[in-house]
């Protein structure tokens, strides 16, 4: 295996027979990666963008909350859903269900570090239960869809499992793996441990994507170079600055933060109720201002705003002000 960069950032890649238009992906982010956001990420060059994690068991209920998470339509070219759970038969039922009929790719969450999730044997608990994880992948594969796995490198520095885990994923039929280069006990902080993503890449033939801490083109290139991964997956920074997808993939666009917000508002209004629209667009606008100095009063105005027309006015004031 060459230990220098093997793949260029922004190139297309085949995953289990499906063409991803670039090897720069948008991660699942609970509370954030709704349909309008995924559509925007895709337009700006992301090779795929995932729904936030959806309970595999919850699919059997026809509740409004799950329907919102699963909303998609033909504007989204590649449809990717992430499932959370612990029971292979439940995954199989979900993967074959009518509710997931439109989705091309099923990603299995094997990385979530939240205590309640682990207690239920879900998310990163599966890093400790390879036979079960394997059965889950096989169960999803029986749907005939492309199946990916998103995992961490291990539980802590003493329990790094990624090489064996990656091989298990491949042998069970997974078409791709995304490795978050942090251990479970690191949660979401600290420098990713690049060498273990590299080991995962060297252990399997299926595409391996690298995730964790990418917040600039330089970081994305560093990740590719240090891990030899087939591509990268952005999470928090992808939400903070979706224009990074255009930068990393060479996608032409004339968007500004303001135009993106107006587009998002319009699409969200078509798909969701006012409460949800307000909550989503406020979150996005706050993230867009995250690293800007002197935005406290704008954030307060956003927080207080109670209607869509008012939100439109406030966003205009904030994002078309001189200096924006
Ligand atoms: C608020 C939040 C929600 C997340 N939701 C999910 C999720 O639903 N599914 C998942 O696999 N990972 C989830 N993650 C993890 C991210 O996808 C990603 O692996 C992690 O944030 C590391 O990438 P980053 O350093 O680029 O943000 C979440 C992370 C955060 C901070």
């Amino acid at each position: 295996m060459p230990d220098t960069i093997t793949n260029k950032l922004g190139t297309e890649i085949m995953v289990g027979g499906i063409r991803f238009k670039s090897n720069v992906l948008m991660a699942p982010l609970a509370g954030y990666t709704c349909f309008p956001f995924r559509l925007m990420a895709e337009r700006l060059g992301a090779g795929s963008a995932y729904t936030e994690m959806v309970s595999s068991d919850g699919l059997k209920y026809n509740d409004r909350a799950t329907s919102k998470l699963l909303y998609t339509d033909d504007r989204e070219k590649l449809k990717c859903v992430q499932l959370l759970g612990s029971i292979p038969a439940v995954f199989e039922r979900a993967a074959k269900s009518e509710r997931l009929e439109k989705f091309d790719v099923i990603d299995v969450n094997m990385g979530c570090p939240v205590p309640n999730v682990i207690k239920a044997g879900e998310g990163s608990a599966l890093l400790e239960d390879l036979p079960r994880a394997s059965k889950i992948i096989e169960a999803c594969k029986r749907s005939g869809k492309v199946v990916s796995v998103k995992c961490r490198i291990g539980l802590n520095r003493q329990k790094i499992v990624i090489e064996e885990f990656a091989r298990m994923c491949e042998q069970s039929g997974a078409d791709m793996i995304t490795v978050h280069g942090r251990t479970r006990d690191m949660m979401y902080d600290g420098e990713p441990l690049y060498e273990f993503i590299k080991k995962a890449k060297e252990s399997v033939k299926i595409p391996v994507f690298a995730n964790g801490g990418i917040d600039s083109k330089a970081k994305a290139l560093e990740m590719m170079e240090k891990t030899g991964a087939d591509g990268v997956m952005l999470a928090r920074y992808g939400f903070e600055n979706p224009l990074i997808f255009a930068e990393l993939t060479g996608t032409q666009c004339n968007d500004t933060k303001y135009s993106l917000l107006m587009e998002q508002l319009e699409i969200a209004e078509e798909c969701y109720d006012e409460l949800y629209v307000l909550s989503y667009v406020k979150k996005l606008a706050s993230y867009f201002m995250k690293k800007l100095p002197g935005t406290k009063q704008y954030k307060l105005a956003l927080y207080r705003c109670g209607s869509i027309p008012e939100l439109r006015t406030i966003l205009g004031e904030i994002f078309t002000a001189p200096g924006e």
Side-chain angles (χ1 to χ4, degrees):
M1 260 301 157
D3 59 2
T4 51
I5 188 163
T6 50
N7 282 297
K8 231 176 118 245
L9 217 48
T11 50
E12 65 173 46
I13 183 165
M14 292 301 290
V15 175
I18 291 187
R19 190 183 74 90
F20 282 23
K21 69 176 177 175
S22 85
N23 60 354
V24 180
L25 315 184
M26 178 64 207
L29 275 179
Y32 298 88
T33 47
C34 56
F35 170 75
F37 185 83
R38 301 196 308 272
L39 209 54
M40 168 169 63
E42 189 175 61
R43 179 172 72 74
L44 294 173
S48 64
Y50 293 81
T51 67
E52 65 178 87
M53 56 188 179
V54 178
S55 160
S56 50
D57 196 33
L59 284 187
K60 67 181 182 224
Y61 307 109
N62 214 354
D63 62 305
R64 291 231 311 264
T66 308
S67 300
K68 267 183 194 149
L69 302 185
L70 293 178
Y71 183 84
T72 182
D73 66 37
D74 289 344
R75 285 173 285 181
E76 190 173 30
K77 296 289 170 275
L78 184 63
K79 301 176 179 64
C80 307
V81 62
Q82 190 190 58
L83 294 181
L84 180 77
S86 68
I87 301 169
V90 171
F91 272 92
E92 182 162 350
R93 185 182 62 206
K96 290 177 173 172
S97 72
E98 210 180 302
R99 298 191 79 184
L100 297 195
E101 206 179 343
K102 282 187 178 168
F103 287 92
D104 306 292
V105 179
I106 295 181
D107 188 76
V108 184
N109 184 320
M110 299 198 185
C112 183
V114 172
N116 281 347
V117 167
I118 299 169
K119 241 184 264 163
E122 304 173 339
S124 64
L126 293 164
L127 293 172
E128 293 185 273
D129 192 348
L130 271 63
R132 180 179 286 272
S134 171
K135 286 195 189 103
I136 289 174
I137 296 167
E138 288 169 0
C140 290
K141 279 300 291 182
R142 285 195 281 277
S143 67
K145 293 182 191 289
V146 165
V147 173
S148 57
V149 171
K150 184 162 174 285
C151 61
R152 290 183 178 241
I153 54 172
L155 307 176
N156 53 50
R157 285 184 198 234
Q158 284 69 49
K159 281 194 192 153
I160 305 272
V161 298
I162 190 60
E163 281 173 87
E164 196 189 348
F165 196 82
R167 279 195 290 270
M168 176 280 296
C169 289
E170 181 171 61
Q171 281 158 13
S172 309
D175 298 291
M176 156 193 154
I177 315 170
T178 302
V179 183
H180 179 184
R182 297 186 176 102
T183 52
R184 175 161 91 193
D185 68 346
M186 290 169 78
M187 297 298 281
Y188 300 104
D189 300 318
E191 189 81 348
L193 305 174
Y194 299 104
E195 69 269 30
F196 295 108
I197 304 179
K198 184 168 189 262
K199 286 200 166 143
K201 167 64 192 159
E202 289 170 355
S203 303
V204 293
K205 294 198 178 68
I206 52 174
V208 172
F209 283 77
N211 165 246
I214 300 172
D215 60 2
S216 64
K217 185 171 185 176
K219 276 274 185 194
L221 289 170
E222 184 185 1
M223 181 63 103
M224 291 291 277
E225 195 162 335
K226 286 188 169 166
T227 64
D230 298 284
V232 292
M233 179 183 271
L234 279 77
R236 286 166 290 185
Y237 192 72
F239 195 79
E240 189 178 322
N241 176 23
L243 292 170
I244 184 99
F245 291 107
E247 188 190 350
L248 295 182
T249 59
T251 305
Q252 293 302 317
C253 73
N254 297 315
D255 295 280
T256 60
K257 284 180 177 172
Y258 181 65
S259 71
L260 292 179
L261 284 166
M262 288 302 107
E263 172 205 79
Q264 289 295 288
L265 192 51
E266 204 171 298
I267 301 169
E269 272 191 278
E270 286 166 32
C271 313
Y272 306 120
D273 55 84
E274 184 174 30
L275 212 61
Y276 191 90
V277 175
L278 283 173
S279 144
Y280 165 58
V281 179
K282 283 180 186 187
K283 261 191 263 187
L284 190 62
S286 302
Y287 258 77
F288 280 9
M289 288 189 279
K290 212 169 166 189
K291 290 188 187 125
L292 299 177
T295 53
K296 204 170 160 192
Q297 90 266 23
Y298 292 139
K299 285 182 184 151
L300 203 65
L302 267 183
Y303 175 74
R304 287 190 179 139
C305 154
S307 75
I308 290 174
E310 200 188 337
L311 181 60
R312 239 178 250 287
T313 309
I314 292 171
L315 292 177
E317 283 165 12
I318 302 173
F319 289 95
T320 59
E324 275 310 314

